[in-house]
Amino acid sequence: MADENSIAALPAPAAHPLANPGYGKRTAPAEPGAAFQPVDFSHLPAREAYIAAYVHRLPEGAAMDVKSLAKALPLYGQQAVRSALNFLSRAGHLHRVRGLAATGDGGTRWVFRTFWSGTARDSAWWAGFLGGDVAVEAAAPVEATSEVAPPSEPAPTTPEMHRATAYQTLARLGRVEPRLALSDADCHALTDLAVPWLERGASPVSLTKALTAGLPDAVHAPRGFVARRLRDKLPPMPMSQLTPDAPEPRLLGRLMPECTECGVPGRPAAFVGGLCQGCRTAASSHSPQGAVHQVTAPAATLAREAVRAVRDHRNPANYRRDTALQQ
């Protein structure tokens, strides 16, 4: 069972980056009434339950690449996140797909999506869903309800709320770091510089860390020092704010699921537990069922590694472009 304290300490997903149009998280359709039932990941190992609870709360279109998730999750690095996502795929919560889409200029490109289900689904369900029994483009989002309530945030957030939060964060600086103690007048004067941080997704905790990290031995003018840091360290605007009206690419056919292990696409019915036939055969070689499997295992492993290398490096120019767009 997952550690309840670690799940309760999940970071808020509000600042998680969105993927470019056509990529990112898609929520698989739920059974009738599922939106009103608590989602329980206690059947998963602690690491997988922690990451599953975070992914479940992410909005549609959120970036699902390993780098973005590892950056948002303080407890695990990229390799751990990659392993957890693969586990969640085999457990029936997640399926990666790709599809060919029109670019709008007469060309085409691959788009990659990650379908998520808070309820574990078996291979037959995923095959029916990805095979067209349920329209992929019309998949309705599942309301992210869970027994673990996300940290309380005002919704919607108003400019007045941002100003109040900014003032409170500045006023508490002196308690966290005595060298940055500010007066009431200082806090009011600096609020306008702190508000853009909150508008760009920074939390009070991350704002405080940015202002207090790496201080000199003595700060003779706290107000001027904080003002300088607020200006110089302002984070960039989220991608969603830079391109809010970017159109969703038009698919030129059905989406194809990818193997969880090697990433090779194929027909939905060809995957069992998220694995293609070749990877299932390779996995079965670990069981003592004869010498044939022992002979074919190295070849299957080399094949998977070769495919993974091509997928990761994507040497041709069009693959480099697709990878940049996905992130």
Side-chain angles (χ1 to χ4, degrees), residues 282 285-286 291-305:
S285 67
H286 296 289
V292 175
H293 290 309
Q294 300 298 330
V295 174
T296 60
T301 300
L302 291 174
R304 291 201 308 275
E305 292 178 351

Side-chain angles (χ1 to χ4, degrees), residues 180-234:
L180 297 184
L182 301 172
S183 67
D184 176 72
D186 293 339
C187 293
H188 280 293
L190 295 171
T191 294
D192 287 338
L193 294 177
V195 165
W197 285 69
L198 303 175
E199 292 176 339
R200 297 184 182 194
S203 67
V205 173
S206 62
L207 175 55
T208 300
K209 288 182 178 179
L211 295 176
T212 58
L215 294 181
D217 293 337
V219 179
H220 300 290
R223 174 172 168 176
F225 183 88
V226 172
R228 178 66 179 268
R229 284 206 163 183
L230 287 172
R231 294 189 184 97
D232 293 351
K233 292 192 171 186
L234 180 66

Side-chain angles (χ1 to χ4, degrees), residues 97-121:
V97 300
R98 69 170 69 178
L100 198 62
T103 61
D105 57 0
T108 59
R109 63 180 172 91
W110 288 102
V111 293
F112 300 83
R113 300 173 181 176
T114 302
F115 279 99
W116 172 258
S117 173
T119 303
R121 309 284 193 170

Side-chain angles (χ1 to χ4, degrees), residues 2-290:
D3 183 275
E4 295 181 359
N5 293 329
S6 66
I7 294 181
L10 278 169
H16 191 92
L18 292 177
N20 281 288
Y23 298 86
K25 176 187 175 183
R26 295 296 190 278
T27 304
E31 297 175 352
F36 302 100
Q37 300 296 326
V39 178
D40 183 14
F41 298 114
S42 62
H43 62 288
L44 299 172
R47 180 185 67 182
E48 282 69 22
Y50 179 88
I51 294 176
Y54 180 77
V55 170
H56 189 73
R57 291 162 50 199
L58 290 177
E60 295 295 288
M64 287 292 291
D65 59 286
V66 170
K67 184 177 180 180
S68 295
L69 288 171
K71 186 176 180 180
L73 295 168
L75 299 183
Y76 303 107
Q78 293 186 29
Q79 184 58 47
V81 170
R82 181 179 292 107
S83 297
L85 292 180
N86 289 346
F87 183 96
L88 292 172
S89 178
R90 293 191 296 270
H93 289 283
L94 177 151
H95 228 309
R96 302 179 183 93
V97 300
R98 69 170 69 178
L100 198 62
T103 61
D105 57 0
T108 59
R109 63 180 172 91
W110 288 102
V111 293
F112 300 83
R113 300 173 181 176
T114 302
F115 279 99
W116 172 258
S117 173
T119 303
R121 309 284 193 170
D122 60 24
S123 299
W125 187 94
W126 280 109
F129 170 58
L130 296 174
D133 290 353
V134 179
V136 170
E137 292 298 328
V142 178
E143 183 180 346
T145 57
S146 176
E147 291 181 335
V148 179
S152 58
E153 290 183 314
T157 303
T158 66
E160 292 77 13
M161 292 177 178
H162 275 321
R163 290 187 62 81
T165 302
Y167 177 89
Q168 293 169 3
T169 303
L170 293 168
R172 286 195 292 264
L173 274 181
R175 300 179 185 178
V176 178
E177 176 49 68
R179 286 171 288 181
L180 297 184
L182 301 172
S183 67
D184 176 72
D186 293 339
C187 293
H188 280 293
L190 295 171
T191 294
D192 287 338
L193 294 177
V195 165
W197 285 69
L198 303 175
E199 292 176 339
R200 297 184 182 194
S203 67
V205 173
S206 62
L207 175 55
T208 300
K209 288 182 178 179
L211 295 176
T212 58
L215 294 181
D217 293 337
V219 179
H220 300 290
R223 174 172 168 176
F225 183 88
V226 172
R228 178 66 179 268
R229 284 206 163 183
L230 287 172
R231 294 189 184 97
D232 293 351
K233 292 192 171 186
L234 180 66
M237 293 184 65
M239 184 63 67
S240 58
Q241 295 183 20
L242 293 174
T243 57
D245 299 323
E248 184 80 1
R250 180 173 59 86
L251 289 175
L252 301 177
R254 295 189 182 278
L255 293 171
M256 295 184 295
E258 293 183 347
C259 176
T260 295
E261 180 66 25
C262 67
V264 171
R267 296 179 297 103
F271 297 91
V272 177
L275 299 176
C276 66
Q277 182 177 359
C279 290
R280 295 198 305 274
T281 301
S284 67
S285 67
H286 296 289
S287 61
Q289 295 181 359

